[in-house]
């Protein structure tokens, strides 16, 4: 039984940690997913709580996973894990049956599961969670109160710290198809031999004032007593979908310039704003300065938005924006960058850099080659993440050592 409990702890603990962490590093992505759920279930009044719930959920999942993995706060952690699974398992069954949102978002953008796959996964995890719950008193807790509280504080600090940093800047690990280094054109390609969508034709025929539906195997095409009315195509199987789809750049003046932008051998700045009426205005002066600098360097600087023409016109007049505005699908804009506004740097369709509006570079910083500048910036961030990861791992190892020391010391003193 102890072996089964240990296996269950490791599996459930790691799963909760992974699920909580990938949500914590992308709080805006979780916020969008909560909003999708609220709107799908007609709970529009709760949309304003989406961000808070995203932070709470990620922190709760991560902390429960850490406590279960390291076997501290056993009773509280096992209760929380059980309540969590008892709530989400029936919920994912409802989602699988009704399919109001195609992706549950349980693993953020790191791992996309269908609703049925999510429900199946939850059934398995629920079984292991029940093992943890019913064996919670199997072994005596020899950890000190200080150890318990330190682990809880450490877990909260990682989860909330990750969310705080990612919200004020950008996710430091980007699982989306628009990550730095990705080529947008490559992301739009469908491989040769990839499965296509499969459809079923439903034919509607009328006879004696009654309309009846038929499929391809029995529709009365030779019976002249039936009069053809209509045919409907129903998708029965989803084919391969490219990671980047529905991406286009256009406006009514110049039309579609998607290929022109993605094939530009020079540099292109893409200012991204889902909705101009929700944009944070603190960076507008710096954005205008950067746009003017880019124009002087013969670089493209354009804004992508899902806002309407009237809203664009009012924004340009109010903020004296000299760059052009183009329409792009709102979902694509949300996926491209988790900041409103946000900035991307492209060359030949490859994303060289991304900036939150708080981090938009000053013109005095980028006099050198933009590609070299971007590589240096990205390398600096990578080095900081490596140092942070090493520090966190060392703290965990020290914590494990102290826990084992206290445990074996308590056993020896019996």
């Amino acid at each position: 039984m102890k072996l089964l409990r240990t296996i269950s702890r490791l599996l459930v603990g790691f799963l909760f940690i992974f699920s909580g962490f990938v949500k914590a590093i992308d709080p805006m992505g979780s916020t969008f997913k909560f909003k999708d759920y609220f709107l799908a279930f007609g709970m529009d009044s709760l949309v304003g709580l989406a961000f808070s719930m995203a932070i709470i959920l990620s922190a709760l999942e991560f902390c429960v996973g850490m406590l279960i993995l390291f076997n501290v706060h056993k009773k509280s952690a096992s209760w929380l894990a059980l309540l969590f699974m008892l709530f989400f398992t029936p919920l994912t069954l409802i989602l699988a049956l009704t399919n109001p949102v195609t992706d549950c978002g349980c693993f953020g953008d790191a791992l996309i599961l269908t609703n049925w796959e999510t429900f199946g996964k939850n059934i398995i995890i629920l079984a292991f969670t029940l093992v943890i719950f019913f064996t919670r008193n199997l072994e005596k807790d020899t950890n000190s109160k200080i150890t318990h509280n330190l682990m809880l504080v450490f877990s909260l600090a990682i989860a909330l710290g990750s969310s705080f940093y990612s919200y004020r800047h950008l996710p430091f690990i980007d699982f989306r198809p628009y990550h730095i280094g990705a080529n947008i054109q490559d992301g739009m390609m469908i491989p040769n031999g990839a499965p296509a969508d499969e459809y079923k034709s439903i034919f509607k025929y009328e006879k004696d004032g009654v309309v009846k539906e038929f499929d391809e195997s029995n529709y009365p095409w030779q019976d002249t007593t039936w009069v053809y009315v209509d045919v409907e195509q129903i998708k029965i199987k989803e084919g391969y979908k490219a990671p980047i789809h529905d991406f286009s750049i256009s406006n009514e003046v110049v039309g579609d310039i998607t290929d022109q932008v993605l094939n530009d051998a020079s540099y292109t700045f893409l200012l991204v704003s889902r909705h101009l009426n929700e944009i944070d205005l603190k960076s507008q002066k710096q954005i205008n300065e950067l746009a003017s600098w880019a124009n002087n360097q013969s670089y493209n600087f354009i804004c992508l938005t899902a806002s309407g023409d009237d809203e664009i016109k009012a924004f340009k007049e109010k903020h004296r924006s000299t760059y052009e505005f183009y329409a792009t699908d709102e979902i694509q804009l949300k996926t491209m960058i988790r900041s409103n506004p946000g900035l991307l740097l492209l060359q030949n369709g490859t994303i060289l850099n991304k900036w939150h509006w708080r981090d938009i570079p000053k013109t005095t910083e980028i006099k050198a080659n933009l590609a070299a500048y971007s590589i240096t910036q990205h390398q600096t961030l990578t080095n900081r993440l490596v140092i942070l990861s090493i520090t966190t791992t060392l703290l965990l190892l020290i914590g494990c050592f102290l826990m084992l020391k206290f445990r074996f010391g308590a056993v020896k003193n019996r």
Side-chain angles (χ1 to χ4, degrees):
M1 183 60 74
K2 286 186 177 181
L3 178 60
L4 179 59
R5 173 177 169 78
T6 300
I7 293 173
S8 299
R9 274 198 311 106
L10 293 175
L11 180 63
V12 175
F14 277 120
L15 189 78
F16 269 71
I17 290 170
F18 177 70
S19 180
F21 181 73
V22 295
K23 291 188 185 77
I25 61 174
D26 187 12
M28 290 309 300
S30 299
T31 300
F32 295 146
K33 185 59 64 176
F34 267 111
K35 288 182 178 180
D36 290 341
Y37 278 123
F38 292 147
L39 294 174
F41 286 104
M43 297 185 290
D44 301 27
S45 59
L46 297 180
V47 168
L49 299 175
F51 179 72
S52 299
M53 293 184 69
I55 299 296
I56 293 170
L57 179 64
S58 61
L60 178 63
E61 279 189 281
F62 187 83
C63 288
V64 169
M66 290 288 284
L67 297 180
I68 288 176
L69 182 65
F70 290 96
N71 210 25
V72 296
H73 283 295
K74 292 192 298 182
K75 292 183 179 180
S76 300
S78 59
W79 268 107
L80 284 171
L82 180 62
L83 292 174
F84 196 96
M85 295 309 302
L86 288 177
F87 175 78
F88 280 100
T89 302
L91 176 61
T92 51
L93 175 59
I94 295 172
L95 294 174
L97 293 171
T98 58
N99 203 39
V101 178
T102 54
D103 167 33
C104 72
C106 55
F107 294 128
D109 289 295
L111 181 61
I112 307 298
L113 299 177
T114 66
N115 288 325
W116 279 113
E117 289 171 342
T118 302
F119 174 67
K121 178 263 298 179
N122 282 349
I123 289 292
I124 297 172
I125 298 304
L126 176 59
F128 285 107
T129 303
L130 288 170
V131 172
I132 295 172
F133 179 78
F134 287 113
T135 60
R136 63 190 185 280
N137 297 320
L138 187 63
E139 51 188 23
K140 187 177 180 181
D141 192 349
T142 57
N143 294 311
S144 66
K145 189 174 181 180
I146 295 177
T147 303
H148 284 122
N149 293 334
L150 281 176
M151 181 58 68
L152 180 59
V153 171
F154 182 73
S155 303
L156 278 172
I158 294 177
L160 295 178
S162 298
S163 293
F164 179 77
Y165 176 88
S166 299
Y167 173 70
R168 290 187 59 83
H169 302 282
L170 290 175
F172 51 84
I173 302 177
D174 193 347
F175 296 104
R176 288 159 291 151
Y178 293 98
H179 59 81
I180 293 176
N183 184 278
I184 296 178
Q185 287 175 307
D186 290 346
M188 297 168 68
M189 293 178 61
I190 297 178
N192 292 329
D197 293 340
E198 294 183 14
Y199 293 88
K200 179 180 181 180
S201 298
I202 301 298
F203 299 92
K204 296 180 181 180
Y205 280 81
E206 182 182 354
K207 182 178 181 180
D208 298 330
V210 178
V211 177
K212 188 175 179 180
E213 294 184 350
F214 302 89
D215 60 27
E216 295 172 336
S217 64
N218 64 357
Y219 69 101
W221 63 279
Q222 290 180 319
D223 189 344
T224 57
T225 62
W226 287 93
V227 179
Y228 171 80
V229 176
D230 193 14
V231 62
E232 181 181 358
Q233 299 291 325
I234 299 176
K235 186 185 292 186
I236 59 175
K237 187 176 180 181
E238 190 82 27
Y240 176 85
K241 183 175 285 188
I244 298 177
H245 50 276
D246 299 330
F247 176 80
S248 64
I249 303 173
S250 64
N251 64 21
E252 293 184 355
V253 177
V254 299
D256 192 307
I257 62 167
T258 307
D259 290 338
Q260 178 184 330
V261 170
L262 297 183
N263 290 294
D264 185 5
S266 184
Y267 299 111
T268 298
F269 288 95
L270 300 181
L271 182 68
V272 176
S273 174
R274 301 184 296 274
H275 295 291
L276 294 173
N277 61 350
E278 299 174 0
I279 199 170
D280 197 299
L281 301 174
K282 296 185 183 69
S283 60
Q284 282 310 297
K285 181 180 178 181
Q286 195 166 329
I287 288 172
N288 288 341
E289 290 177 356
L290 183 60
S292 297
W293 176 87
N295 183 59
N296 292 334
Q297 303 295 320
S298 298
Y299 301 149
N300 289 322
F301 191 106
I302 60 176
C303 179
L304 309 185
T305 183
S307 296
D309 292 338
D310 292 340
E311 196 173 335
I312 291 173
K313 183 179 179 181
F315 185 89
K316 289 179 69 174
E317 291 177 352
K318 182 177 180 180
H319 299 285
R320 299 179 181 178
S321 303
T322 58
Y323 43 87
E324 294 300 320
F325 289 72
Y326 293 84
T328 300
D329 177 68
E330 181 182 354
I331 295 177
Q332 295 304 307
L333 296 176
K334 288 179 180 179
T335 309
M336 289 173 73
I337 195 164
R338 305 300 202 200
S339 172
N340 189 12
L343 187 67
L344 284 78
L345 176 64
L346 268 61
Q347 186 179 42
N348 284 320
T350 298
I351 301 173
L352 298 182
N353 214 333
K354 298 169 70 170
W355 294 276
H356 189 282
W357 63 261
R358 289 188 175 89
D359 305 314
I360 289 176
K362 298 178 181 178
T363 56
T364 54
E365 299 175 354
I366 52 176
K367 291 180 180 179
N369 181 281
L370 276 173
Y373 170 77
S374 298
I375 292 172
T376 301
Q377 265 205 332
H378 195 56
Q379 187 61 51
T380 300
L381 177 60
T382 301
N383 292 338
R384 290 175 180 173
L385 290 176
V386 169
I387 294 172
L388 181 62
S389 300
I390 293 173
T391 303
T392 304
T393 303
L394 287 174
L395 288 174
L396 275 175
L397 290 174
I398 292 171
C400 291
F401 173 77
L402 292 175
M403 288 170 61
L404 291 172
K405 181 179 179 181
F406 286 135
R407 177 169 295 184
F408 286 114
V411 171
K412 187 176 181 180
N413 293 330
R414 286 181 185 176

